[in-house]
Amino acid sequence: MKLSVIIPIYNVEATLERCLLSVVSQRVDDMEIILVDDGSQDGSSAIAQRMAPENPIFTYIRQENAGLSAARNTGIRHSKGEYITFVDSDDFLLEDAYSPLLQLLDERKDCDILEFSFVKNHLGEETECLLADATYTDARWYWLKGQAYAHTYAWNKLFRRDLLFPESGGERLFREGIVFEDAEFLGRLLQSNPCVVTTSLMGYSYQWNPQGITSTADGQKLASLLDTNIRVARQLGLAFMQPKTKRQFVNREEALFYQYLLNMQISVCQQTGNNPVLPDCKLHLCSAKGRTMKLKALLLYVFGLKGLLSLLRK
């Protein structure tokens, strides 16, 4: 089973060599590493061009700067693997990350997306993000029960090639020119209701970047992420997205996702002053997690979404 690892490069001189060495050292018999240099202006290009001839599994491609999505798409189109995965060049792989994952895929011929656990490093403090060993054949259940909305990252997943290049024709690639492209990409892939396997196997070390989109996103960018999540909710037919004549309670299985969206909606409205786009619903207090969320649920019940937002602005 051939694995294609796609690594976009853009001005990451300080972290690139560590990243590439972690990928090269993986114990995988059949692997290709595609480096897509997205117009780097620092020493990243020199590092990539030095290491590529030393490693025959490397393919080095340079293009004009077009953004992360475009770089990944270039890599996908040049890939030959049965499964495709991604590594961000400021992160790195844990030792022997891919071998057990490929073994699992060999046992699970039905798997379209394999999502694995990872470590988050924030200012030197590591936190394990451990996923359950589970199989989801219903996209709605994966999104809710697996809380996929909280970890839509492309880099902790192996995607079956056929999912990106379906027999019906066309391509399912990253949408270019948007922010939070991973969430939009995963949401779109779920339209085909793929078989998703999640595993507690640990494989990736995510390095928090204070200059990254997650850390610096303003209200407009958060609004884009909120819109993406609402589109997925509508696509999955979630109950709180259905037309109603009066405010309804959010059902138990959708409650955590609604809370996630509610917090995002509050941030967007506070930063932009825009009107809310999230449906105005009610939360059972027993489904609200934490004291702060219970207070928000109570205010939401009494005053509605616009009333809650008005109170929080004061």
Side-chain angles (χ1 to χ4, degrees), residues 222-239:
L222 284 177
S224 175
L225 179 60
L226 178 62
D227 288 343
T228 293
N229 277 276
I230 287 177
R231 281 198 301 273
V232 175
R234 187 177 295 112
Q235 160 200 316
L236 296 176
L238 300 190

Side-chain angles (χ1 to χ4, degrees), residues 18-302:
R18 180 183 187 183
C19 171
L20 296 184
L21 289 174
S22 77
V23 181
V24 171
S25 64
Q26 296 296 305
R27 301 172 202 162
V28 177
D29 292 334
D30 196 0
M31 179 174 70
E32 63 174 359
I33 303 171
I34 302 174
L35 309 179
V36 183
D37 185 345
D38 192 43
S40 292
Q41 300 299 311
D42 65 352
S44 301
S45 299
I47 293 172
Q49 291 180 59
R50 169 174 57 79
M51 295 185 68
E54 300 170 357
N55 298 276
I57 59 174
F58 277 7
T59 297
Y60 174 76
I61 303 166
R62 183 172 171 87
Q63 63 184 30
E64 291 187 10
N65 178 241
L68 177 61
S69 290
R72 284 175 171 170
N73 290 341
T74 295
I76 292 170
R77 292 188 178 109
H78 282 80
S79 68
K80 299 179 178 63
E82 183 179 346
Y83 281 88
I84 297 170
T85 192
F86 305 91
V87 177
D88 285 354
S89 47
D90 49 358
D91 300 331
F92 61 91
L93 295 175
L94 302 180
E95 184 178 356
D96 196 23
Y98 288 149
S99 179
L101 296 173
L102 292 173
Q103 183 177 346
L104 179 57
L105 283 173
D106 196 47
E107 298 167 359
R108 295 297 309 270
K109 303 295 187 183
D110 57 334
C111 177
D112 296 305
I113 301 174
L114 175 59
E115 181 176 19
F116 54 93
S117 302
F118 56 96
V119 175
K120 279 187 175 181
N121 189 316
H122 183 267
L123 300 177
E125 183 176 341
E126 291 192 343
T127 304
E128 287 189 352
C129 298
L130 194 63
L131 303 180
D133 294 308
T135 299
Y136 302 93
T137 55
D138 183 307
R140 183 173 176 272
W141 201 236
Y142 166 59
W143 194 255
L144 297 175
K145 179 68 174 177
Q147 296 183 29
Y149 54 86
H151 37 85
T152 58
Y153 317 110
W155 40 253
N156 77 320
K157 298 172 183 67
L158 276 64
F159 301 91
R160 186 190 294 276
R161 183 181 191 82
D162 294 346
L163 190 62
L164 308 189
F165 298 98
E167 291 183 358
S168 58
E171 303 172 324
R172 296 189 182 114
L173 304 182
F174 289 88
R175 185 156 294 167
E176 299 179 17
I178 66 170
V179 294
F180 294 108
E181 55 277 294
D182 289 7
E184 193 281 334
F185 177 65
L186 181 61
R188 194 154 28 88
L189 291 183
L190 293 182
Q191 292 180 9
S192 62
N193 203 40
C195 175
V196 182
V197 175
T198 61
T199 176
S200 57
L201 291 170
M202 196 75 60
Y204 196 95
S205 183
Y206 165 73
Q207 307 296 299
W208 178 75
N209 180 0
Q211 303 304 318
I213 183 64
T214 304
S215 307
T216 61
D218 58 17
Q220 293 299 333
K221 291 176 180 176
L222 284 177
S224 175
L225 179 60
L226 178 62
D227 288 343
T228 293
N229 277 276
I230 287 177
R231 281 198 301 273
V232 175
R234 187 177 295 112
Q235 160 200 316
L236 296 176
L238 300 190
F240 68 78
M241 291 302 302
Q242 304 308 311
K244 301 175 182 69
T245 57
K246 62 179 182 179
R247 292 174 63 217
Q248 302 286 332
F249 277 102
V250 177
N251 66 45
R252 190 176 188 85
E253 65 184 21
E254 298 180 11
L256 287 178
F257 180 43
Y258 188 86
Q259 292 172 54
Y260 172 80
L261 295 182
L262 177 61
N263 286 328
M264 196 183 305
Q265 179 68 88
I266 291 170
S267 294
V268 169
C269 289
Q270 287 177 332
Q271 293 185 49
T272 65
N274 294 344
N275 291 325
V277 295
L278 184 67
D280 189 355
C281 298
K282 302 176 185 178
L283 281 171
H284 290 283
L285 285 180
C286 61
S287 69
K289 299 297 183 182
R291 184 177 301 175
T292 301
M293 197 66 230
K294 288 186 184 298
L295 177 59
K296 291 177 183 177
L298 179 60
L299 295 174
L300 182 68
Y301 176 83
V302 175

